[in-house]
Amino acid sequence: MSERTFTIIKPDSVENGNAGRIISHLEAAGFTILAARMTHLSQNQAQAFYAVHNERPFYNDLVAYMTSGPVWVMALERDQAVPTLRKEMGATNPADADQGTIRKLYGESIERNAIHGSDSSENAAIEIAFFFPAADLA
Ligand code: ATP
Ligand code: MG
């Protein structure tokens, strides 16, 4: 059954000129792009987006990195979208990611790891609504 997920092509990917290759990878993996735009996260947006990690030692660095440059935010759709995106992304640490995954191909470090993907359908809906008005997804 068709499912939606949400991705951020992170600042390192845009900075390194990999955004187009990552979008191509997602299209080749069967995702339909429902909505997409380039944006530069504010401090408040990055803090809110990663609020679940606010007690973690890497939180402040994560917020600084996510606000360091422009990103692409995208709503994606396909069957099994959430698990399929996580599989195409690879492990959080690119060093541990499977061959051919986006993080293995384009990630630099456990922090600068190229891409975000929602971890559940519920969070995907929350994250899509965080960035896109419902009318953009019609
Ligand atoms: P994301 O939520 O961005 O898709 P993830 O679900 O694979 O990534 P999380 O545990 O949710 O991993 O961590 C969120 C982000 O925080 C990571 O993608 C990475 O950028 C950063 N991060 C996670 N663990 C560390 C760490 N130990 N040191 C530095 N940064 C980290
Ligand atoms: Mg996560």
Side-chain angles (χ1 to χ4, degrees):
M1 205 181 78
S2 180
E3 183 180 47
R4 288 179 177 182
T5 192
F6 173 78
T7 190
I8 301 179
I9 300 177
K10 291 183 174 181
D12 57 310
S13 297
V14 176
E15 193 178 314
N16 294 333
N18 291 324
R21 275 181 277 275
I22 292 171
I23 293 168
S24 290
H25 186 119
L26 295 172
E27 288 183 323
F31 290 96
T32 299
I33 300 169
L34 296 179
R37 81 187 146 81
M38 205 174 200
T39 187
H40 193 140
L41 300 185
S42 68
Q43 181 96 351
N44 281 346
Q45 280 179 310
Q47 285 174 338
F49 189 80
Y50 280 119
V52 64
H53 294 310
N54 64 10
E55 302 294 327
R56 308 285 285 276
F58 58 80
Y59 179 68
N60 288 341
D61 284 347
L62 174 60
V63 170
Y65 153 59
M66 289 300 292
T67 58
S68 67
V71 299
W72 283 87
V73 293
M74 309 179 78
L76 303 174
E77 188 168 73
R78 58 158 279 164
D79 64 303
Q80 297 290 314
V82 169
T84 304
L85 177 60
R86 298 292 306 195
K87 183 165 165 287
E88 294 296 330
M89 285 164 48
T92 304
N93 188 346
D96 300 332
D98 289 342
Q99 292 298 330
T101 60
I102 292 168
R103 283 170 167 169
K104 184 63 136 194
L105 288 166
Y106 306 117
E108 296 176 11
S109 68
I110 191 166
E111 178 181 82
R112 293 171 61 86
N113 62 2
I115 188 167
H116 160 81
S118 305
D119 58 14
S120 69
S121 209
E122 294 72 25
N123 283 337
I126 292 167
E127 292 172 359
I128 288 171
F130 190 91
F131 286 103
F132 296 106
D136 284 3
L137 297 156

